[in-house]
Amino acid sequence: MSEASKHKAYAQRDGLNHVALVCDDLSSTEDRVPKYFEIYSHADYELGKRFYFHDDDGTEYEMVC
């Protein structure tokens, strides 16, 4: 099973796939997120490095730098 399917990364919630937020310092942001949510995936695409997590309501967030 892929990480995406394991965490329902492509499921929609009321028509919303996920929320992407851009930050200046991914490492610093990544240090803070685990205090609140579990990070489950990292990626490095053409547009930049990123990581993903879900909030308590199941909405997926993508932090991009």
Side-chain angles (χ1 to χ4, degrees), residues 18-43:
H18 72 286
V19 175
L21 303 168
V22 178
C23 63
D24 292 326
D25 184 348
L26 192 65
S27 179
S28 175
T29 303
E30 186 174 2
D31 288 344
R32 289 183 255 157
V33 169
K35 294 176 186 172
Y36 307 99
F37 306 107
E38 180 182 349
I39 295 171
Y40 68 84
S41 182
H42 292 81

Side-chain angles (χ1 to χ4, degrees), residues 4-62:
S5 63
K6 190 171 15 175
H7 294 283
K8 299 179 184 176
Y10 296 101
Q12 289 190 0
R13 181 180 173 85
D14 297 327
L16 176 70
N17 175 267
H18 72 286
V19 175
L21 303 168
V22 178
C23 63
D24 292 326
D25 184 348
L26 192 65
S27 179
S28 175
T29 303
E30 186 174 2
D31 288 344
R32 289 183 255 157
V33 169
K35 294 176 186 172
Y36 307 99
F37 306 107
E38 180 182 349
I39 295 171
Y40 68 84
S41 182
H42 292 81
D44 188 357
Y45 301 126
E46 184 178 334
L47 299 175
K49 293 183 179 186
R50 60 203 69 224
F51 66 86
Y52 301 86
F53 62 92
H54 287 96
D55 69 10
D56 294 333
D57 292 326
T59 302
E60 181 183 53
Y61 289 84
E62 173 184 15

